[in-house]
């Protein structure tokens, strides 16, 4: 085991935190790039000729088979992440993704392309599961939302980069016009694989794996590098205490135990990812050039409109950096659902009336939809699941939510070309209906998690385990104080009052806090 006095990194404090966040975000950049790269090349003349002018179902299969691979490994990532750690899973995902990218780049036909796509999907499944977990476990509560939203911005930068790469390569005559965009993802994947070896492991995973000294070292580095820093020691003690409680409970850590104890949390995590897809984003991400061609923009012009849309899409992901830890998760999801529903209904209406203004109107509607998604249902479903699932089940719970994402991702990607031909303009109001459903779900069922430490998330959901703990502790200490009456001489309680106040509003439960670190005189 590494000595606790040995520095692990030259960077400490905020620079280390942001460096980790930026580099880990290469993982989400990769699957953002991979989602977008196919949208431009499937309409290219050389690509279509090489694959013998594939029909809608063949195109849908080539695009969506990646989600099959991602679905498989996102389920397995729960066990992999607990066994080899967050860092090891990140490395494995990057290597597998790169291998798949090489197969796609040098494909010799339809079936080889499918093998490459599904192999890359295996890597994407690991990356898309482990990166949000890793990010949430190294982030402080008051910056956790902002860092996760920055991570999503990297995902959309990846998407935008792929669209513009497709656009500029469309000027190349020959098959390099689609092979070069596919090769770029191999380079990025190799960089991520090499860089993941330099990143520190998640401190929560290290402590859960009985590597306490290493865990304390990482926590100290994230707080400035001082092993005696009171804040770092307090965080370490809180994580270690939570690990101890989980082990002493005597419960297993299987999917079955997680489902029986945290069914509500798991269902909420899965629903957030399901509606992120049902709300219609991949109709645009995967098939934007086809959407614009349907509206009247033809050939390279359709890719150009997709590129312009992608730039605005990137810009729309920046406001949540500042709003998610101020407004909270619920307000952003609710407002985004309303705007997206209106934009999708308007898109269908303009296509239905089919007037000379339709091409420009559809571009505007799609841009508004993409911007609303980028500000709301894009980042939050990647932030919310690792927040609400407890440490001992976090990898498994997030793996199920991510698997849900890829399952619905595959459904949307597979059937969209067919539905575009079958029901035409009606496709867009259909997804607008799902946006309304997502609004209702969030309004009535999603609790707010803004500013709540991960180890205190039980209280947000009013878990019976918390009540039992309160009762047991009250018998031992004979002192339960309502939070408004806690004396100012108890700094620990005073520091936690702000989030406990929000907790009371989110759950509607009485706000109580245990005080066990008081003297006998104070108890009397």
């Amino acid at each position: 085991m590494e000595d606790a006095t040995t520095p692990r990194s030259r960077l400490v404090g905020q620079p280390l935190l942001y460096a980790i966040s930026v580099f880990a975000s290469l993982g989400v950049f990769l699957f953002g790039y991979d989602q977008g790269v196919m949208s431009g090349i499937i309409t290219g003349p050389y690509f279509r000729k090489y694959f013998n002018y594939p029909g809608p179902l063949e195109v849908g299969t080539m695009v969506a088979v990646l989600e099959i691979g991602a679905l498989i490994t996102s389920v397995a990532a729960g066990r992999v992440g607990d066994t080899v750690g967050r860092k090891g899973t990140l490395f494995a995902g990057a290597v597998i993704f790169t291998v798949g990218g090489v197969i796609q780049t040098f494909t010799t036909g339809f079936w080889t392309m499918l093998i490459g796509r599904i192999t890359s999907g295996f890597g994407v499944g690991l990356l898309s599961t482990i990166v949000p977990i890793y990010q949430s476990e190294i982030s402080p509560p008051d910056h956790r939302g902002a860092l996760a939203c920055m991570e999503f911005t990297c995902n959309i930068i990846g998407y935008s980069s792929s669209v513009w790469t497709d656009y500029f390569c469309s000027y190349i005559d020959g098959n390099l016009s689609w092979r070069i965009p596919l090769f770029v993802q191999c380079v990025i994947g190799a960089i991520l694989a090499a860089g993941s070896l330099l990143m520190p492991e998640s401190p929560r995973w290290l402590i859960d794996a009985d590597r306490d000294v290493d865990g304390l070292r990482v926590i100290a580095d994230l707080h400035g590098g001082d092993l005696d820093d009171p804040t770092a020691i307090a965080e370490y003690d809180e994580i270690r205490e939570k690990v101890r409680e989980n082990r002493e409970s005597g419960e297993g850590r299987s999917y079955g135990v997680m489902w029986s104890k945290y069914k509500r949390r798991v269902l909420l995590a899965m629903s957030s990812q399901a509606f992120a897809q049902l709300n219609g984003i991949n109709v645009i991400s995967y098939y934007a050039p086809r959407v614009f061609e349907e509206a009247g923009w033809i050939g390279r012009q359709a890719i150009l409109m997709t590129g312009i849309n992608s730039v605005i899409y990137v810009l729309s992901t920046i406001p949540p950096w500042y709003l998610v830890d101020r407004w909270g998760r619920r307000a952003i999801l609710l407002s985004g659902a309303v705007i997206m529903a209106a934009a999708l209904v308007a898109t269908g209406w303009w296509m239905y009336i089919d007037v000379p203004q339709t091409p420009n109107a559809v571009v505007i509607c799609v841009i508004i939809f993409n911007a609303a998604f980028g500000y709301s249902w894009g980042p939050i479903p990647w932030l919310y699941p690792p927040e609400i699932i407890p440490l001992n089940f976090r990898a498994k719970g997030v793996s199920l939510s991510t698997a849900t994402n890829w399952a619905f991702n595959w459904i949307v990607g597979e059937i969209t070309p067919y539905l575009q031909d079958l029901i035409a303009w009606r496709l867009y109001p259909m997804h607008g209906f799902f946006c309304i459903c997502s609004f209702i779900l969030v309004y009535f069922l999603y609790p707010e998690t803004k500013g709540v430490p991960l180890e205190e998330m039980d209280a947000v959901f009013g878990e019976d385990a918390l009540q039992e703990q309160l009762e047991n502790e009250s018998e031992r200490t004979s002192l339960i104080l309502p939070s408004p009456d806690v004396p100012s001489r108890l700094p620990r309680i005073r520091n936690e009052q702000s989030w406990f106040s929000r907790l009371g509003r989110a759950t509607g439960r009485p706000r109580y806090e245990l005080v066990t670190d008081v003297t006998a005189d104070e108890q009397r």
Side-chain angles (χ1 to χ4, degrees):
M1 183 178 293
E2 179 181 325
D3 186 78
T5 61
T6 303
R8 293 178 53 127
S9 174
R10 295 179 181 177
L11 293 177
V12 295
Q14 292 291 334
L16 174 61
L17 179 63
Y18 286 113
I20 292 172
S21 298
V22 169
F23 207 85
S25 294
L26 277 179
V28 292
F29 178 98
L30 271 179
F31 63 84
Y33 185 96
D34 199 88
Q35 284 178 304
V37 72
M38 293 297 288
S39 70
I41 65 177
I42 59 176
T43 60
Y46 294 103
F47 179 90
R48 290 181 56 77
K49 180 180 178 181
Y50 189 85
F51 289 96
N52 297 318
Y53 301 98
L57 289 180
E58 290 175 300
V59 170
T61 300
M62 270 196 286
V63 171
V65 73
L66 179 136
E67 277 71 53
I68 299 297
L71 173 62
I72 294 170
T73 51
S74 61
V75 174
R79 295 190 183 277
V80 175
D82 284 340
T83 303
V84 305
R86 312 331 190 194
K87 178 178 172 179
T89 308
L90 190 65
F91 173 77
V95 170
I96 295 170
F97 180 92
T98 303
V99 171
V102 170
I103 296 173
Q104 291 178 65
T105 302
F106 298 100
T107 181
T108 57
F110 178 78
W111 293 105
T112 313
M113 175 63 84
L114 292 189
I115 293 172
R117 293 287 290 169
I118 200 168
T119 302
S120 286
F122 291 150
V124 166
L126 293 175
L127 293 172
S128 60
T129 301
I130 214 65
V131 170
I133 295 174
Y134 182 77
Q135 182 71 71
S136 71
E137 291 186 345
I138 66 167
S139 303
D142 55 342
H143 289 84
R144 190 172 62 236
L147 290 170
C149 290
M150 292 178 188
E151 179 184 291
F152 181 74
T153 298
C154 288
N155 175 271
I156 306 308
I157 291 174
Y159 167 72
S160 181
S161 299
S162 70
V163 172
W164 284 106
T165 301
D166 287 345
Y167 176 72
F168 288 116
C169 288
S170 70
Y171 287 93
I172 299 175
D173 291 327
N175 290 326
L176 287 179
S177 63
W178 56 269
R179 292 191 190 271
I180 289 176
L182 292 173
F183 179 72
V184 170
Q185 62 189 342
C186 306
V187 177
I188 303 168
I191 294 173
L192 176 61
S196 65
L197 300 176
L198 304 176
M199 297 166 62
E201 181 57 88
S202 159
R204 285 174 167 84
W205 182 84
L206 288 170
I207 295 170
D208 194 37
D210 295 321
R211 295 172 57 184
D212 290 6
V213 176
D214 290 341
L216 176 59
R217 176 74 265 172
V218 176
I219 294 172
D221 285 347
L222 291 169
H223 286 281
D226 183 4
L227 285 170
D228 297 320
D229 178 26
T231 304
I233 293 174
E235 182 177 337
Y236 166 77
D237 287 340
E238 186 176 21
I239 296 171
R240 188 175 62 172
E241 178 64 17
K242 192 67 176 180
V243 170
R244 183 190 65 79
E245 289 176 7
N246 291 334
R247 291 179 179 177
E248 289 182 353
S249 68
E251 294 179 330
R253 303 180 67 165
S254 67
Y255 281 97
V257 173
M258 177 185 69
W259 182 255
S260 64
K261 187 173 182 180
Y262 298 109
K263 182 186 297 184
R264 180 190 172 197
R265 300 200 205 187
V266 174
L267 287 174
L268 289 179
M270 293 171 69
S271 70
S272 69
Q273 289 285 18
F275 275 101
Q277 304 308 316
L278 289 174
N279 286 352
I281 184 56
N282 280 331
V283 174
I284 307 302
S285 295
Y286 287 159
Y287 302 109
R290 285 176 62 103
V291 173
F292 291 133
E293 284 186 345
E294 190 179 5
W297 298 92
I298 304 301
R300 189 175 292 129
Q301 282 188 327
I303 303 178
L304 177 61
M305 292 300 103
T306 304
I308 294 172
N309 171 59
S310 72
V311 172
I312 299 174
Y313 191 10
V314 170
L315 296 176
S316 73
T317 66
I318 296 176
W321 297 8
Y322 307 98
L323 298 177
V324 70
D325 290 316
R326 291 177 173 83
W327 289 8
R329 287 52 164 158
R330 282 170 49 87
I332 291 176
L333 288 174
L334 291 170
S335 56
V338 171
I339 299 171
M340 290 159 59
L344 285 169
V345 170
T347 299
W349 184 78
W350 279 105
M351 287 186 175
Y352 169 70
I353 62 174
D354 193 17
V355 294
Q357 294 80 17
T358 290
N360 291 332
V362 168
V363 168
I364 293 171
C365 290
V366 168
I367 286 174
I368 292 172
F369 167 80
N370 254 123
F373 180 87
Y375 139 85
S376 59
W377 283 88
I380 304 301
W382 294 104
L383 163 65
Y384 202 69
E387 284 190 320
I388 64 176
I389 304 294
L391 173 62
N392 51 330
F393 295 108
R394 185 166 296 139
K396 293 181 176 66
V398 173
S399 76
L400 287 183
S401 71
T402 305
T404 304
N405 168 79
W406 293 116
F408 281 87
N409 214 315
W410 172 76
I411 292 171
V412 173
E414 181 70 30
I415 68 174
T416 290
Y418 177 72
L419 291 179
Q420 283 175 325
D421 289 344
L422 181 66
I423 63 175
W425 62 270
R426 299 172 186 83
L427 174 66
Y428 307 98
M430 181 187 79
H431 285 290
F433 168 76
F434 287 121
C435 292
I436 295 172
C437 293
S438 68
F439 177 95
I440 296 171
L441 184 72
V442 171
Y443 186 83
F444 287 104
L445 296 178
Y446 279 43
E448 183 56 70
T449 58
K450 176 183 66 174
V452 182
L454 295 180
E455 281 66 42
E456 305 291 351
M457 203 61 69
D458 287 355
V460 171
F461 287 87
E463 303 285 357
D464 292 337
L466 176 67
Q467 289 300 104
E468 182 178 351
Q469 180 185 349
L470 287 171
E471 292 169 4
N472 292 339
E473 290 291 328
S474 67
E475 292 175 2
R476 183 168 65 84
T477 63
S478 299
L479 182 60
I480 300 181
L481 296 177
S483 59
D485 299 329
V486 174
S488 62
R489 64 178 178 274
L490 300 175
R492 181 175 67 84
I493 307 306
R494 186 172 65 249
N495 290 340
E496 292 183 354
Q497 250 182 356
S498 61
W499 82 261
F500 241 83
S501 170
R502 294 193 295 272
L503 167 63
R505 291 196 297 271
T507 63
R509 302 176 63 88
R511 301 190 301 274
Y512 292 102
E513 173 65 274
L514 280 172
V515 181
T516 58
D517 52 347
V518 295
T519 65
D521 290 338
E522 287 173 326
Q523 290 189 29
R524 288 194 293 270

